[in-house]
Amino acid sequence: MKLNFFSIILFFVLPFSLSAQQTVRGVITDKDSKEIIPFANIIIKNSNPSIGTTSDESGKFVLNNVPIGKQTFIVSFVGYETITLSNINVTAGKEVLLNIGLIENLESLNEVVVLAGKKKDKTVNEFATVSARSLNVQEANKYAASFGDPARQVQNFAGVTGNGDDLNNEIVIRGNSPNTLLWRLEGVEVPNPNHFVYSTGGAVSMLSSNVLDKTDFFTSAFPAEYGNGLAGVFDLRFRKGNNKKRETTIDAGFLGLGIATEGYFSKKSEASYLINYRYSTVSILDKIGVKLSEGGNLNYQDLNYNINLPTSKIGTFNIYGLYGKNIIKSSDTASESESGTPTTGNFQNSSNNNVSTFITGLGHRIFLKDRTYLKTNISYSLDGANLKEETKNNGVIDPLKGSEFDSKIEALRLSSFINHKFNAKHTIRTGVTLSHLKEKTISYHTGSNDIGHLVPTNDKVDGNSTIFQSYFQWKYRATDKLTLNSGLHFLHFAKTNSSAVEPRLGLNYKLNNKHSLSFGAGLHSRAERLSTYLVKADANAQFLNTNLGLSKALHYVLGYNWRLSKNTHFKVEAYYQNLFNLPVDNTGQTGYNVINAQLFDVFNITDIPLTNDGKGKNYGVEFTLERFINKGFYYLTTLSLYDSKYKIGNSSYYNTRFNGNYVFNFLAGKEFKIGNKSNKTLGVNAKFNLTGGQRFTAIDEAASIANQTEIFSTIPYTEKVKDYYRLDLGINYQWNKKKSTHSLGLNIQNVTNRLNKTVPDYFYDDATNKITKTTTELNGLLPVLKYSINF
């Protein structure tokens, strides 16, 4: 019998009579020391009959026959704060693995048990104090039109924006350049893990939500262990694979076809593997009339993996990494030249962008003695890009023109730290990081001069350097109400022989069980991309920029948090950032400055010497009102009001490129149980975003016409395109069978088909002696259908 696609879908969605159950396993540890906690209690709230157990001597626990659906777990142990893990999604297709960290109670001698509540906003890093929150990827996948992309998910947080662009996936934090965000994976700095960085700023993540664990995101004044970043930190982690059962997830949708597999190597071992591979299927969107790239053919693939290898005597090892490759090809023909003059033949324009990223690492953690562990990581990364553009004419007018950008960036890093918990009050961590960087980049261009001869130009940077970092940080819980996080970070960049000692401070004071105040301050420094320091005026000249110092920023943050209920909280933060020592072209010839650089500007090579005369200031206030998912309902609304300015030397302060002035987000969702067995759910999610328009520099029409070329205003970024706004909608239907879980989701980005505008382009027209203005519209409605099965 022949089955069509519709018949197969009906087979999956028809109701089945069952009573599915699942296993919940995990390990309970001390949050600060990472030591196991044996004989801790874990129960399912409101279970009847009661379902509960006790962790064994190794801190592990197993709960069998847990009903599917949203469950709440209560974990307690004498001398520790009791915690509640709410709305854990238990499905038939995958076992639930929980890694639970308990906080030691300062009043443990009196055996007082404190109900910590639902701290879903708390970070994984125990030294975080202000401007930080965790990202639970599985829950964030509910956000409408997030597409399982962590970069899009954090753009819903206060102070974060995508800079008013549908496709551009840059992360702009509090008005800072996206280049100054520090990306980390498994505790080590990595290159930007997104596809199409050199063309769209990273439109699609290389990381799958199938492999990511709970992750921390910092927007200011981050702890001392984080270095070589100015704006914020995206601290990504891979989860461990299931070491007791083999499981598979298959995703099929408009953006990609992927498969994730995890399981054990041997039932006699605790080792596990987790692998995810995805191949793009965006051509489906092109066939239904949705264009993601103007005239371009997008293609990408990526691989994520994490292999966990625990041993009985020499600690736990893990081998992790990712590989991503993306290609954009485009071609077109025209019957006239760029100036509009008819030709005897057709111009053939083509481009081919081929970019790949490879990251791999070996991690190791071992307990040296009670309450002390050593964690070490060795990683290697390779970023390669080859971008070609070519113009040909098959007639006799105008010769071949072309340009090529070829880049290879390598980094070998060694990172290690020791963490020791003295007691419930004091925890310290000290570590070092050594990075060896190597880059070879060539920018090649050929074109015709005034007499029609081909003239090639070739800019090249080739070299290496090292960055050494060390830090010490101390967590002091003075009382149940007052916590102090302090530390020092040291950074030395060998290429310019520049160093910085950076003090960091964070304070949190609980006024009572509902209200708390926080304060953070810190100095942060950063070495720019290596090519910045390898520029030469010509092949025989000395490096132009080896006299540059480190870019620096001083952050101040004051926050107030009000827990309105166990599920809802309100937060407000005010901040001021003083940026200084920024590399800029102080001659005014190129207008280059780090503070306005976008991700795809990083390969621009200028032969003008740079100086550290750039300064900037960002200040603003942010409001967050959030209800964590409870009884199937959640919402998150944020409002950010800010100003972002810069200046060069003794000039006046001007708007930065990223000074949108405000960002407003509202997203909400509701899940409905369907069926007598409650084994099906229907989720409806919506998001509204309103952002100040992108800034651009106005053109001076009179001067342009007089000089017969484009001349722009001497005052930068005074103009803005119209405000950007967008409404997204997501619908997801999930159903459980006996041993599998299925979901069918439709996310619609820009459901109202709002055509937001990009920054305009200006051209001087020889024929009319006028300035012409062209504006491009961003994407309209973008539907993305996805089907997943876990078994």
Side-chain angles (χ1 to χ4, degrees), residues 13 22 51 270 283 325 474 516 556 695 709 726 750 760:
V13 300
Q22 188 54 275
I51 301 176
E270 294 291 321
S283 58
K325 183 178 180 62
W474 168 44
S516 64
Y556 302 95
R695 287 194 175 270
T709 188
R726 198 180 79 201
N750 197 0

Side-chain angles (χ1 to χ4, degrees), residues 393-647:
N393 185 273
N394 60 10
V396 296
I397 300 178
D398 288 345
L400 170 73
K401 297 180 181 180
S403 63
E404 181 175 356
F405 172 81
D406 190 80
S407 179
K408 182 180 180 181
I409 305 171
E410 297 175 272
L412 181 64
R413 293 184 171 92
L414 170 65
S415 175
S416 185
F417 70 80
I418 294 177
N419 192 97
H420 177 68
K421 179 180 178 181
F422 291 95
N423 49 46
K425 288 179 175 286
H426 302 277
T427 302
I428 63 170
R429 179 177 296 176
T430 183
V432 296
T433 299
L434 180 63
S435 304
H436 180 71
L437 312 175
K438 184 179 180 180
E439 178 170 356
K440 183 177 182 180
T441 296
I442 300 174
S443 179
Y444 176 81
H445 176 76
T446 180
S448 58
N449 60 15
D450 294 338
I451 58 176
H453 293 162
L454 288 176
V455 179
T457 58
N458 191 340
D459 293 315
K460 178 180 179 180
V461 295
D462 189 0
N464 61 81
S465 187
T466 59
I467 297 178
F468 173 77
Q469 300 176 75
S470 62
Y471 62 88
F472 172 84
Q473 52 191 32
W474 168 44
K475 179 181 179 180
Y476 174 46
R477 298 178 63 203
T479 66
D480 278 330
K481 293 185 175 182
L482 178 62
T483 299
L484 165 70
N485 282 305
S486 60
L488 285 174
H489 186 276
F490 173 77
L491 188 151
H492 177 76
F493 181 44
K495 196 66 183 179
T496 62
N497 196 28
S498 301
S499 300
V501 178
E502 308 162 8
R504 312 281 176 85
L505 175 67
L507 288 168
N508 185 273
Y509 182 72
K510 297 179 182 178
L511 300 173
N512 50 46
N513 289 333
K514 291 188 175 182
H515 304 274
S516 64
L517 299 174
S518 57
F519 172 77
L523 178 64
H524 308 272
S525 60
R526 176 179 184 267
E528 302 300 326
R529 177 169 165 166
L530 189 56
S531 58
T532 304
Y533 309 97
L534 299 177
V535 175
K536 295 181 178 181
D538 56 64
N540 299 319
Q542 296 294 318
F543 294 119
L544 294 177
N545 295 322
T546 51
N547 62 329
L548 287 175
L550 299 168
S551 304
K552 297 182 180 181
L554 187 57
H555 293 190
Y556 302 95
V557 184
L558 181 63
Y560 164 69
N561 193 81
W562 178 13
R563 189 162 293 276
L564 300 169
S565 69
K566 61 183 180 181
N567 299 306
T568 308
H569 78 113
F570 171 76
K571 182 179 181 180
V572 58
E573 279 194 343
Y575 65 89
Y576 181 84
Q577 299 175 350
N578 177 31
L579 289 76
F580 58 100
N581 232 43
L582 304 177
V584 296
D585 173 12
N586 203 9
T587 67
Q589 296 183 50
T590 66
Y592 176 84
N593 61 84
V594 168
I595 201 168
N596 288 315
Q598 292 183 276
L599 288 174
F600 37 78
D601 292 334
V602 296
F603 53 79
N604 288 341
I605 301 174
T606 173
D607 57 3
I608 301 298
L610 304 178
T611 64
N612 288 113
D613 291 322
K615 296 181 180 180
K617 56 182 178 180
N618 303 319
Y619 52 91
V621 59
E622 299 165 356
F623 305 89
T624 299
L625 178 63
E626 182 172 15
R627 172 192 165 101
F628 303 118
I629 187 167
N630 185 52
K631 297 181 180 180
F633 177 61
Y634 76 92
Y635 61 78
L636 170 64
T637 182
T638 64
L639 173 63
S640 304
L641 306 173
Y642 65 98
D643 204 18
S644 178
K645 303 286 190 179
Y646 82 100
K647 71 174 184 175

